[in-house]
Amino acid sequence: MDETRVLTRNIREGREPVWRAEYEAAGGWEAFKKTLAELKPTEVGELVKEAGLRGRGGAGFPTGMKWSFMPRFEERPEERPAHVYLVINADEMEPGTFKDRLLMEGDPHQLIEAMAISSYAIGADIAYVFLRGEYVECQRRLQKAIDEATEAGYLGNDILGSGYNLKIYLHMSAGRYICGEESALLSALEGRRAVPRHKPPFPAASGLFGQPTTVNNVETICNVPHIVSNGADWYKQLGAHKDGGTKLFGASGHVNRPGLAEMPLGTRMGDLLEHFGGIREGRRLKALLPGGGSTPLLTADHLDTPMDYEGVGAAGSRLGTGTMVVMDETTPIVGVLKNLEHFYAQESCGWCTPCRDGLPWVERILTNLEAGKGHPGDIELLELHTKLLGPGKTFCAHAPGAMGPLESGLKYFRDELAALIPDDSDTLSLTEPANTASNSQV
Ligand SMILES: Cc1cc2nc3c(=O)[nH]c(=O)nc-3n(C[C@H](O)[C@H](O)[C@H](O)COP(=O)(O)O)c2cc1C
Ligand code: SF4
């Protein structure tokens, strides 16, 4: 199956980036010029709403609707706060996810132009890219693109004589998974401890430094210039199922050709796997995480699933970041779950008890099961944790996300997990001391 290259149209083998002259020769920065010359800020928002663009950071929230929550000051400029912000979430720490890196390394001007249009649409005068700390090459390339754009007059004061002002800054994360949660990200950007904030107030009312703010994912925003250039109807028809547009899908794990591919949203899961070369060594699919580590597992029974928000939702999981982690039939599911819960336990910010204490407990039970030291009642105890750490029980979506693979693992592979409990074991699970390095302080 061929790719539909919209966001990746300029990205070359080897990721040697397209700099300004080449980007402009391919039509780059024209969407921003058109925006400033022909569209009011709210009209850009309406266009994005009509196109049906949904957030690519994991939750799939409609982008145009998110922008419409921003207060408008065109009619009352005297009430405009000191600054209005756009913050781009480039933290990308979700296990198995590596899509935003490709966009930033391969076509840095696309993101900077997209930020310029989006900032104009929401009335922002300052925009940040909050970058994963390890992405130093992205930092280098984005900074060069910002410098080139400033030199060309696309950023700065009175841009292209329009009266619009915008500055873009990069911020390197100190490096925790929770920094990707949008309100923790804003705290980190302010130089404070990266823990989630209570909502309301939502960032549109009180975000970065208490000012109106929108947080969007890299891939989400990269769609915007193409919507402005080609229109909402063009964008909608790119999708293959309910949602419009394309998606950077990925595959890692037990496929023959791991990597990324831009395909219509709603492409059949089985076709995507085929595109990535099928399951390695001619084996069969056992399970996959459809959109990163915090999305519930699906199995070979779901190969007909359309990979968009509705399709994956109807199959009992989430599209998440659209980057699949694939496991063949030889993979012990207990090891998959243990590795994931180890990560999420380590990355808990410690702000609320169910997550801080529950995740290490889950990891400990899975570690014992894997080592053949499980006890009767362990499966029920894991099940109980999926309820205690589920939606609405914790301060942010970290713990419910971590419970996604566990709950689905129990649903599809309960017998395999239960069979790990030795016949002669007693029921000491609740009091057994920790036996892993990460649990030694629990
Ligand atoms: C624990 C946690 C980690 C997250 N990490 C990321 C991330 O690395 N990148 C991202 O874009 N969104 C991440 N999100 C989602 C953001 O909170 C937010 O929904 C997103 O950046 C909004 O952008 P979008 O509407 O364009 O998708 C995370 C959420 C949670 C709960
Ligand atoms: S759910 Fe976990 S990561 Fe989120 S606030 Fe609570 S302790 Fe922190």
Side-chain angles (χ1 to χ4, degrees):
M1 201 181 163
D2 289 338
E3 291 191 55
T4 306
R5 297 186 62 162
V6 177
L7 274 57
T8 56
R9 76 202 189 292
N10 290 330
I11 298 180
R12 297 184 270 236
E13 200 67 29
R15 289 187 204 173
E16 187 47 41
V18 172
W19 296 116
R20 181 165 70 89
E22 225 183 321
Y23 183 72
E24 285 175 334
W29 285 105
E30 288 302 320
F32 184 48
K33 288 182 201 161
K34 175 180 170 181
T35 301
L36 291 183
E38 297 174 21
L39 297 170
K40 290 192 191 123
T42 46
E43 287 173 339
V44 184
E46 283 308 314
L47 197 58
V48 167
K49 209 184 250 182
E50 210 185 310
L53 175 63
R54 295 178 65 167
R56 309 293 199 240
F61 195 82
T63 308
M65 189 189 292
K66 186 187 275 192
W67 290 4
S68 72
F69 299 150
M70 290 292 277
R72 311 296 327 185
F73 301 103
E74 287 89 349
E75 307 296 321
R76 42 189 182 106
E78 68 287 354
E79 290 177 32
R80 196 183 151 84
H83 296 293
V84 174
Y85 296 103
L86 172 71
V87 179
I88 298 301
N89 192 340
D91 198 47
E92 191 150 82
M93 268 189 73
E94 184 70 21
T97 301
F98 46 97
K99 66 186 180 67
D100 295 338
R101 178 179 167 187
L102 177 82
L103 293 171
M104 292 186 283
E105 282 188 1
D107 197 0
H109 270 276
Q110 176 175 244
L111 176 61
I112 303 303
E113 182 185 8
M115 288 175 70
I117 300 170
S118 307
S119 297
Y120 174 81
I122 61 168
D125 61 324
I126 295 186
Y128 285 95
V129 184
F130 186 93
L131 255 177
R132 179 179 175 152
E134 290 87 349
Y135 281 5
V136 284
E137 193 52 32
C138 293
Q139 179 192 28
R140 195 184 67 76
R141 295 180 186 194
L142 286 174
Q143 190 57 56
K144 181 169 169 180
I146 291 169
D147 293 345
E148 284 190 336
T150 308
E151 209 175 272
Y154 299 141
L155 299 176
N157 291 333
D158 189 20
I159 298 170
L160 306 176
S162 65
Y164 177 59
N165 306 329
L166 176 67
K167 289 195 175 61
I168 296 184
Y169 300 102
L170 305 180
H171 179 94
M172 299 302 280
S173 172
R176 292 305 302 265
Y177 177 69
I178 195 61
C179 292
E181 194 281 334
E182 63 175 14
S183 64
L185 181 155
L186 295 176
S187 296
L189 201 46
E190 291 173 359
R192 297 191 291 116
R193 179 180 166 186
V195 289
R197 298 176 179 181
H198 188 272
K199 295 181 202 169
F202 289 92
S206 175
L208 189 62
F209 302 113
Q211 311 290 305
T213 303
T214 289
V215 181
N216 272 129
N217 170 262
V218 171
E219 186 187 353
T220 312
I221 289 300
C222 284
N223 283 278
V224 173
H226 305 288
I227 294 172
V228 169
S229 294
N230 302 300
D233 289 339
W234 168 85
Y235 187 80
K236 279 192 278 195
Q237 60 80 34
L238 287 174
H241 183 233
K242 298 273 172 71
D243 295 303
T246 59
K247 177 83 191 75
L248 249 75
F249 289 107
S252 60
H254 300 164
V255 285
N256 283 311
R257 284 195 305 274
L260 289 165
E262 186 174 4
M263 299 282 196
L265 254 178
T267 299
R268 188 179 158 271
M269 186 197 284
D271 293 340
L272 280 179
L273 286 175
E274 213 167 281
H275 181 87
F276 293 112
I279 309 299
R280 67 172 187 186
E281 293 168 32
R283 294 188 180 140
R284 280 180 304 170
L285 173 70
K286 177 166 183 172
L288 60 76
L289 299 155
S294 60
T295 52
L297 290 159
L298 294 176
T299 68
D301 290 339
H302 300 106
L303 288 174
D304 284 331
T305 302
M307 289 283 281
D308 66 358
Y309 301 94
E310 285 207 24
V312 184
S317 185
R318 287 188 302 113
L319 181 68
T321 58
T323 45
M324 304 179 287
V325 181
V326 182
M327 294 143 244
D328 73 21
E329 58 191 319
T330 66
T331 315
I333 214 69
V334 67
V336 174
L337 297 177
K338 186 202 72 176
N339 284 349
L340 287 168
E341 301 308 336
H342 172 69
F343 173 82
Y344 290 113
Q346 263 189 341
E347 293 299 329
S348 165
C349 81
W351 204 234
C352 55
T353 310
C355 175
R356 184 186 59 235
D357 290 354
L359 288 175
W361 201 341
V362 166
E363 183 195 350
R364 190 188 320 170
I365 296 168
L366 290 165
T367 303
N368 285 340
L369 279 176
E370 191 182 37
K373 294 179 182 167
H375 301 281
D378 279 355
I379 303 298
E380 290 73 16
L381 207 49
L382 288 173
E383 221 155 34
L384 178 65
H385 276 84
T386 66
K387 307 284 180 296
L388 297 176
L389 277 69
K393 300 292 197 314
T394 58
F395 201 66
C396 86
H398 176 91
M403 290 300 99
L406 179 64
E407 195 172 10
S408 52
L410 289 165
K411 178 173 161 192
Y412 297 121
F413 303 104
R414 193 187 178 93
D415 292 347
E416 178 182 325
L417 292 165
L420 296 168
I421 301 171
D423 292 339
D424 58 350
S425 71
D426 52 26
T427 52
L428 284 174
S429 188
L430 294 179
T431 52
E432 181 152 340
N435 64 353
T436 63
S438 72
N439 281 334
S440 60
Q441 297 138 4
V442 175

